[in-house]
């Protein structure tokens, strides 16, 4: 155990902040930012006295491809902490979304190391506390779209996956990145079902997808350490892909030359493609992808291509037939 264990850099203040205060403080900061922006606009306004109202574009955060605070970049409010932490897909614990948080409550997330190996110049094992201090923890509000047709807006904290990959120096032969989740059947009742699934949970990306700035290694949400049911101590958030691509409780990251087999392509290749990009035009055999229901809302909304992150990621798939490579 090193001296930095149990520290929570950069977000210590919000760690002890209840959600409603976190929300109102964020709203205050955004409002304050907007009025400072408005002040600048007035200062530059024509001398006829007419003044321009601040537009969303006047808010610097609206230029980011993700939201900040508790609102996504499309202006949608985040789901509540309660919703995000009590409705979870985490098959190692259960296929029942509403019981995962209870079953995961005693899951041990410390000590924890992540090995990064394979086709890299500097293979290394990272202690979770070192990862929290090595890379600045950023806040990003992303939409999470599950292939089952529901979605949430989540204020995550974490750091760009590209920073971790650059630290191990990928070799020229590396083309894919494989993420392996923890294997602990004694603490994870779902892992005792060895007939339906091949454990551990494994996901993978092409290296250029993994290097995209939107790919986030998540260490917290709502300014608190990541709860066990959401994948503590670290998971991925890949907002342009269906949620199943965002592996939880990662213990090993391996760079490979060949496309790795994944948990879901192994379980049912006819239903789950390697890419898992959100695409309203390609239905899953059991779920239409045209629309989705935001958790907490009754009506459905139209699903956006790449879950609304098209401008950041479409270039990764140029020339590919997205109906085939789903
Ligand atoms: N990671 C692991 N290890 N095990 C899982 O069962 N489920 C995936 C993904 N990551 C899963 C996982 C699916 S299907 C979804 S939709 C998201 O986690 C759900 O994340 P959430 O529970 O934080 O909403």
């Amino acid at each position: 155990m090193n001296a930095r264990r149990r520290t929570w850099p950069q977000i210590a203040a919000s760690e002890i902040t209840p959600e409603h205060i976190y929300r109102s403080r964020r709203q205050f900061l955004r409002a304050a930012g907007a009025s400072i922006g408005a002040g600048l606009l007035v200062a530059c306004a024509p001398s006829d006295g007419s003044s321009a109202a601040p537009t969303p574009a006047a808010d610097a955060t609206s230029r980011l491809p993700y939201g900040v605070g508790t609102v996504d970049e499309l202006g949608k409010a985040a789901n509540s902490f309660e919703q995000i932490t009590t409705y979870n897909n985490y098959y190692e614990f259960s296929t029942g979304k509403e019981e995962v948080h209870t079953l995961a409550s005693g899951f041990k997330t410390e000590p924890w190391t992540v090995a990064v190996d394979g086709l890299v110049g500097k293979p290394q094992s990272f202690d979770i506390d070192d990862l929290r201090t090595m890379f600045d923890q950023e806040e990003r509000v992303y939409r999470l779209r599950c292939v089952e047709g529901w979605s949430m807006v989540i204020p995550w904290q974490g750091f760009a996956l590209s920073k971790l990959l650059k630290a191990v120096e990928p070799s020229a032969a590396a083309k894919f990145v494989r993420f392996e989740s923890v294997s602990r059947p004694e603490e994870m009742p779902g892992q005792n079902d060895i007939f339906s699934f091949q454990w551990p949970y494994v996901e993978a990306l092409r290296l250029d997808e993994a290097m995209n700035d939107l790919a986030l290694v998540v260490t917290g949400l709502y300014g608190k350490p990541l709860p066990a049911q959401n994948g503590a101590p670290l998971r991925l958030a890949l907002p342009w892909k269906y949620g199943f691509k965002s592996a939880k409780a990662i213990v090993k990251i391996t760079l490979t030359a060949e496309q790795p087999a994944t948990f879901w392509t192994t379980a049912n290749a006819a239903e789950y493609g390697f890419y898992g990009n959100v695409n309203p035009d390609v239905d899953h055999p059991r779920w239409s992808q045209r629309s989705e229901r935001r958790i907490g809302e009754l009506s459905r909304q139209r699903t956006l291509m790449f879950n609304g992150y098209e401008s950041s990621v479409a270039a990764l798939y140029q020339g590919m037939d997205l109906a085939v490579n789903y």
Side-chain angles (χ1 to χ4, degrees):
M1 190 179 285
N2 71 32
R4 279 176 291 174
R5 183 171 297 290
R6 292 181 204 286
T7 58
W8 191 253
Q10 274 90 25
I11 52 174
S14 49
E15 188 182 351
I16 48 160
T17 306
E19 181 196 339
H20 67 282
I21 298 175
Y22 179 87
R23 274 181 183 277
S24 55
R25 183 191 297 163
R26 291 283 159 190
Q27 275 151 13
F28 169 77
L29 288 172
R30 285 174 70 82
S35 30
I36 292 163
L40 289 174
L41 281 174
V42 170
C44 301
S47 53
D48 64 2
S50 64
S51 65
T55 61
D59 179 346
T61 60
S62 66
R63 286 191 291 275
L64 296 169
Y66 48 85
V68 176
T70 53
V71 180
D72 74 12
E73 82 289 1
L74 303 178
K76 299 286 184 192
N79 282 87
S80 67
F81 184 80
E82 162 95 13
Q83 287 166 332
I84 296 166
T85 57
T86 58
Y87 189 84
N88 300 100
N89 267 338
Y90 204 165
Y91 279 40
E92 285 89 333
F93 288 102
S94 171
T95 54
K97 302 182 205 317
E98 275 141 22
E99 62 175 16
V100 169
H101 68 105
T102 313
L103 291 169
S105 60
F107 181 65
K108 270 188 72 192
T109 58
E110 286 192 22
W112 195 279
T113 53
V114 186
V116 190
D117 61 13
L119 300 173
V120 296
K122 288 189 174 163
Q124 286 171 69
S125 272
F126 297 91
D127 185 279
I128 181 64
D129 295 320
D130 292 338
L131 285 179
R132 288 186 187 128
T133 49
M134 275 174 77
F135 307 114
D136 287 345
Q137 308 290 302
E138 302 174 39
E139 287 184 62
R140 296 188 183 189
V141 183
Y142 280 165
R143 292 172 291 287
L144 180 144
R145 169 65 154 80
C146 180
V147 72
E148 297 160 346
W150 55 265
S151 60
M152 292 202 211
V153 179
I154 306 182
W156 300 117
Q157 286 82 49
F159 56 90
L161 173 61
S162 62
K163 292 185 180 169
L164 177 57
L165 295 176
K166 282 179 196 155
V168 296
E169 299 179 4
S171 74
K175 297 284 176 282
F176 295 90
V177 190
R178 178 185 184 274
F179 303 89
E180 187 175 309
S181 298
V182 72
S183 196
R184 242 191 254 168
E186 63 288 2
E187 284 182 65
M188 302 176 122
Q191 282 189 334
N192 294 303
D193 175 1
I194 50 168
F195 299 107
S196 318
F197 298 109
Q198 201 168 307
W199 303 105
Y201 196 97
V202 169
E203 259 309 333
L205 298 169
R206 262 185 4 217
L207 180 57
D208 59 343
E209 297 181 294
M211 296 299 281
N212 185 280
D213 188 54
L214 283 182
L216 194 71
V217 177
V218 169
T219 55
L221 71 84
Y222 263 115
K224 304 173 207 250
L226 193 62
Q229 60 270 35
N230 294 92
L234 88 169
R235 64 167 298 163
L236 292 177
L238 308 164
W240 72 101
K241 291 178 176 288
Y242 293 117
F244 68 83
K245 296 294 296 180
S246 296
K248 297 178 170 180
I250 295 167
V251 289
K252 193 169 180 192
I253 300 176
T254 308
L255 282 80
T256 65
E258 306 298 328
Q259 181 176 306
T262 66
F263 182 79
W264 288 108
T265 53
T266 304
N268 193 340
E271 294 201 356
Y272 302 95
F274 174 79
Y275 285 93
N277 289 325
V278 176
N279 186 342
D281 300 328
V282 179
D283 285 338
H284 182 278
R286 284 179 284 141
W287 301 290
S288 162
Q289 301 300 357
R290 279 269 136 227
S291 67
E292 66 201 59
R293 189 177 74 81
R294 179 89 16 105
I295 296 303
E297 294 177 11
L298 291 177
S299 57
R300 298 184 72 82
Q301 56 183 304
R302 194 169 60 88
T303 290
L304 303 173
M305 187 65 197
F306 294 116
N307 201 22
Y309 300 92
E310 194 164 9
S311 60
S312 299
V313 298
L316 292 169
Y317 310 105
Q318 246 166 25
M320 277 174 55
D321 182 348
L322 298 176
V324 177
N325 295 295
Y326 52 86

